Amino acid sequence: MLRVLTLSSLFPDASRPNFGVFVERQTLSLAAHPDVELKLVAPLGLPPWPLRRRGHYAPLAALPRHEDWKGVETWRPRFLNLPGTRGLFHAAMLTRALLPLLARIRRDFEFDVIDASFFFPDGPAAVALGRYFGVPVSIKARGADIHHWGRSPLTAWQVATAGQSADGLLAVSQAMKADMAALGIPAERIRVHHTGVDLARFAPRDQAAEKARLGIDGPLVVSVGALIPRKGHDVVIDAVAALPGVKLRIAGEGPERQKLAAQIARLGLGARVKLLGSVAHGELPPLLAAADAMALASSSEGLANAWVEALASGTPIVIPDAGGAAEVVTLPAAGRIAARNASAFAAAIGDLLAAPPPREAVRATAAHFTWEANTAALYDHLSALVATRAQPSG
């Protein structure tokens, strides 16, 4: 039996059900493996009192510290997030908070390996804890954990050092592997570990019926992602403005809402473009199945789950050449890779609307992104780390 302690600061909770759902699904799938016993530590970075009782921190501070989360025993320890320090002390504070907790967990659950499912601050803390408890450590890179924290002057050295020190490394795409190597992390030790998609849930449906349920007729473009500058929703809005009669629905929430709403009003698109707000992950399948295209103009990605979920739904995608885009759009049926500007996106969307690929052909391009394959690869990876550590030296 492989005993796994999964560590992830990117994980859903009762106040943020959409936060890190892909990490959740990976964790639950691994926990369901017949040869795995898994416990989860999902830490929360909170500012000093009384700031943690205000704004978006208040619901996090109220979360239980120990619970059963969908069948997995879960701890939610707090670590100190010092405002204005730009992450410099995150990993140190996390390590300090986790050391006594993991010592208590280990009394009843002698974990074989620490699986850090997000690179920062989880990775540096996991390396320190792995050394303390004498167990191997794996760290997975997903996107912003490398593209932001791995390039920020105050944290880049921590990311690189953790990558150089970990026993095993995972990347969500070949492009992410290259980005990690550019930071000085040994490429030969990085294994590409693609995300999975629930092919039963995300599947083609009666498109006309799904559009009717949304009150939409005519061409529909959907975009899925947080309302933050990196996701490029403004680019997609401008692109749709140039496509008469095309409607756009944006699923996501974030600090750019007012700016995007003002853009929609300024362009006179109120009748065609709607901000849906946060949409529960379970409610995405009919939305994606209704769309004629899913467009997301991200400036950086690892390998976005929204890409493969759209493809599994039979909906082609329009995305820039960011992250693992070329690993997903491998055939014309999958969609188009376009320059990250409104005119290029408008042309690519228009091309798909004029000659839509068969929806089953689109779905076929996502057939290898399964959670079964994801779980098998992760189990193999972690088992190998434990076996290597168990081998006598010399």
Side-chain angles (χ1 to χ4, degrees):
M1 182 69 70
L2 179 66
R3 293 161 297 186
V4 180
L5 184 80
T6 293
L7 170 63
S8 183
S9 59
L10 183 69
F11 204 87
D13 55 60
S15 71
R16 303 173 299 176
N18 283 354
F19 185 66
V21 291
F22 39 91
V23 179
E24 176 193 51
R25 181 56 193 266
Q26 175 177 294
T27 302
L28 296 180
S29 295
L30 182 63
H33 191 287
D35 193 40
V36 169
E37 185 178 0
L38 185 147
K39 309 290 183 183
L40 170 68
V41 175
L44 304 167
L46 298 177
W49 186 274
L51 294 178
R52 65 178 56 190
R53 306 300 287 180
R54 302 174 185 169
H56 70 279
Y57 290 114
L60 297 179
L63 290 171
R65 293 177 178 270
H66 185 214
E67 64 178 322
D68 180 292
W69 184 264
K70 300 184 180 180
V72 173
E73 187 173 12
T74 300
W75 288 263
R76 299 188 187 275
R78 281 62 165 162
F79 69 96
L80 190 59
N81 176 352
L82 293 171
T85 60
R86 293 180 290 172
L88 177 61
F89 303 110
H90 281 9
M93 292 297 181
L94 178 56
T95 304
R96 180 179 178 181
L98 292 184
L99 186 58
L101 172 62
L102 265 61
R104 291 197 302 272
I105 292 173
R106 196 161 172 79
R107 292 172 195 160
D108 300 315
F109 179 65
E110 195 169 347
F111 47 87
D112 300 309
V113 60
I114 298 176
D115 170 32
S117 288
F118 198 63
F119 220 98
F120 189 85
D122 312 20
V127 168
L129 294 164
R131 287 174 176 167
Y132 183 87
F133 292 107
V135 299
V137 169
S138 172
I139 312 174
K140 185 166 184 176
R142 295 182 176 275
D145 47 357
I146 294 296
H147 296 148
H148 176 72
W149 299 112
R151 295 170 182 169
S152 175
L154 296 181
T155 55
W157 64 273
Q158 299 181 56
V159 170
T161 301
Q164 292 159 2
S165 305
D167 299 274
L169 297 160
L170 297 171
V172 294
S173 64
Q174 290 287 350
M176 179 58 66
K177 177 178 177 177
D179 290 342
M180 294 165 70
L183 299 179
I185 298 173
E188 65 275 10
R189 292 175 43 222
I190 304 170
R191 176 173 179 167
V192 174
H193 185 227
H194 283 151
T195 188
V197 62
D198 188 335
L199 293 173
R201 175 179 290 181
F202 292 92
R205 304 185 180 201
D206 183 331
Q207 190 180 15
E210 296 302 339
K211 282 186 179 181
R213 289 189 183 96
L214 295 170
I216 290 174
D217 57 6
L220 172 64
V221 175
V222 166
S223 190
V224 179
L227 306 187
I228 55 177
R230 177 170 63 87
K231 293 295 183 179
H233 294 300
D234 57 326
V235 175
V236 178
I237 291 170
D238 281 342
V240 168
L243 296 168
V246 175
K247 296 178 175 64
L248 171 64
R249 298 294 181 266
I250 299 175
E253 193 52 85
E256 291 282 290
R257 169 176 273 276
Q258 289 188 344
K259 182 178 178 181
L260 295 173
Q263 179 185 3
I264 293 166
R266 184 178 67 253
L267 295 173
L269 296 175
R272 293 203 284 132
V273 179
K274 305 291 184 184
L275 301 175
L276 301 179
S278 181
V279 175
H281 190 251
E283 296 174 6
L284 285 178
L287 180 65
L288 289 172
D292 297 283
M294 198 288 286
L296 188 61
S298 305
S299 59
S300 66
E301 289 285 358
L303 193 153
N305 284 66
W307 297 349
V308 293
E309 288 171 348
L311 295 177
S313 303
T315 302
I317 61 178
V318 177
I319 57 177
D321 189 9
E327 298 164 53
V328 176
V329 183
T330 55
L331 295 170
R336 302 290 184 270
I337 295 177
R340 192 176 184 260
N341 62 67
S343 60
F345 259 65
I349 294 169
D351 187 30
L352 292 173
L353 296 179
R359 296 185 79 81
E360 286 299 334
V362 176
R363 176 176 169 80
T365 66
H368 61 290
F369 290 101
T370 68
W371 284 115
E372 291 78 11
N374 176 281
T375 298
L378 183 56
Y379 175 79
D380 176 71
H381 170 74
L382 296 176
S383 297
L385 298 183
V386 173
T388 298
R389 177 64 67 94
Q391 292 175 356
S393 58

